Amino acid sequence: MATSTTSVRADLAEPGGGDGGRRRFGALLHRLDIKGAPYAFVAPFFVVFAAFSFYPLIYTSWISLHRVELATLDVMEWVAFDNYVELWNDERFWNALANTITIGVISTVPQLLMALGLAHLLNYRMRGSLFFRVASLVPYATSVGAAALVFTMLFERDFGMINWALGGIGLDPVNWEADKWPAQLAISTIVIWRWTGYNALLYLAAMQAIPADRYEAAAIDGASRWKQFTNVTVPGIRSTIVFTIVLSTIGATQLFGEPLIFGQGPNGVTGGADNQYQTLGLLLYEEGWKNYQMGRSATVAWAMFLLLVLVFVAQRLIKRLRSRTS
């Protein structure tokens, strides 16, 4: 018994005993560093996302099932899906949805086409290319308030430069704010001006990633510049085009600042006297901060979210059907 006790003490006293413990501890720290560091790096994003995105989303869905007024947010009356039924039967919702779709189409399609052409021009070597690339971002850097105010003055009925130019060629002045389609066209012009340069730089970055040998092979085969653009450039940036379509769809669904400022006063919230350019974003604001019905406002917010989900599901289904037929 004494011999075994002595041998254990001798083993503990050996220099390698302490070094082995430190090596095991170092190996443990190394494993934690390799496996745990990635989670530590991404943890701040998920914490911020949970606090400012996920929690408000869940809380908004809870509010949409209640009757809640802005002045008494702590008083909630359970109404289940009554807010959704009332929204479904509300003509203002369908009008705002139709306006959102039309303004989105009018602004998104020309915007992306112009951005694609602008990026194609900027992709060529020319003098001052850096200046033009920076200049294309100026509208994006401009605040939505400043841009909307400037365009509101341009489209002013009596003293606006647009009507002045129309009068110069013999056309009658247009009441841009009071009429439905002129108002939506004017609002779409603001959106196009602000976002074309941003999308153009996204396309330009994607174009510069296309290998040059593809263009060389197309030129050897006798392809013209237009053929190279349609058969090499556009397929090469297809993923970026899809990305910009997704961004533009989200932006069109959430359109708020441009029509609000374009209305120049009380009509901005309602989207004109006859709701001729009221979007879903304006309807959400009207329900919550003008009518003080936060439950209905939250219902509009969830309707916008579900609309985006339906659009993206339809896009995925169309893409899958195309892949099967091809």
Side-chain angles (χ1 to χ4, degrees):
M1 191 70 179
T3 304
S4 61
T5 304
T6 304
S7 62
V8 170
R9 290 178 179 176
D11 293 337
L12 292 176
E14 288 180 0
D19 293 340
R22 284 193 293 270
R23 283 196 298 269
R24 287 193 296 271
F25 182 71
L28 177 62
L29 290 180
H30 180 70
R31 287 195 297 271
L32 290 176
D33 179 55
I34 295 299
K35 296 183 178 181
Y39 297 98
F41 289 142
V42 301
F45 165 78
F46 285 101
V47 171
V48 174
F49 174 80
F52 296 100
S53 295
F54 185 72
Y55 171 74
L57 183 68
I58 300 301
Y59 188 66
T60 302
S61 66
W62 176 250
I63 290 179
S64 69
L65 302 176
H66 295 76
R67 182 174 288 108
V68 188
E69 294 189 0
L70 181 63
T72 56
L73 292 176
D74 56 333
V75 179
M76 297 185 182
E77 179 185 354
W78 174 263
V79 294
F81 293 98
D82 288 354
N83 287 331
Y84 291 91
V85 174
E86 292 177 6
L87 188 68
W88 182 268
N89 297 322
D90 193 348
E91 294 183 358
R92 295 179 306 145
F93 168 72
W94 296 106
N95 174 71
L97 177 60
N99 291 338
T100 301
I101 293 174
T102 54
I103 294 176
V105 172
I106 296 173
S107 60
T108 299
V109 175
Q111 172 196 149
L112 297 183
L113 292 177
M114 293 170 59
L116 191 59
L118 181 60
H120 185 61
L121 294 176
L122 293 176
N123 196 30
Y124 287 106
R125 293 182 180 178
M126 59 181 181
R127 293 182 179 179
S129 59
L130 180 60
F131 168 78
F132 291 112
R133 293 175 186 178
V134 175
S136 62
L137 270 182
V138 171
Y140 171 71
T142 305
S143 68
V144 61
L149 284 175
V150 170
F151 276 88
T152 298
M153 291 187 290
L154 290 175
F155 286 102
E156 210 275 333
R157 183 188 62 182
D158 298 321
F159 305 103
M161 292 185 63
I162 303 298
N163 279 343
W164 173 79
L166 292 176
I169 59 177
L171 298 178
D172 295 332
V174 179
N175 195 343
W176 295 98
E177 198 272 334
D179 298 332
K180 178 178 180 178
W181 291 110
Q184 294 190 11
L185 181 61
I187 294 171
S188 300
T189 304
I190 306 173
V191 179
I192 292 171
W193 182 81
R194 290 193 66 235
W195 290 97
T196 298
Y198 173 80
N199 290 317
L201 289 186
L202 291 180
Y203 291 152
L204 177 62
M207 289 178 184
Q208 293 182 341
I210 300 176
D213 55 1
R214 295 186 183 180
Y215 292 100
E216 295 175 359
I220 293 173
D221 292 337
S224 61
R225 288 290 181 87
W226 175 251
K227 288 293 184 180
Q228 293 179 27
F229 176 73
T230 56
N231 296 330
V232 179
T233 303
V234 174
I237 64 171
R238 183 178 288 114
S239 59
T240 305
I241 293 176
V242 173
F243 174 72
T244 55
I245 291 174
V246 170
L247 282 185
S248 300
T249 303
I250 295 174
T253 306
Q254 299 176 346
L255 191 64
F256 175 75
E258 291 86 347
L260 178 67
I261 299 175
F262 184 78
Q264 303 184 57
N267 288 339
V269 177
T270 59
D274 298 324
N275 307 115
Q276 64 267 21
Y277 56 89
Q278 186 178 48
T279 61
L280 290 175
L282 288 179
L283 180 62
L284 183 153
Y285 184 85
E286 181 185 13
E287 289 289 358
W289 282 266
K290 185 179 179 181
N291 300 333
Y292 305 112
Q293 298 298 322
M294 297 303 295
R296 289 178 59 87
S297 179
T299 305
V300 177
W302 262 89
M304 296 167 62
F305 174 74
L306 294 176
L307 176 63
L308 288 174
V309 172
L310 290 176
V311 170
F312 295 142
V313 169
Q315 186 267 335
R316 295 295 297 178
L317 290 176
I318 293 173
K319 183 179 179 181
R320 185 169 299 178
L321 290 175
R322 286 182 176 180
S323 62
R324 289 180 179 179
T325 56
S326 60

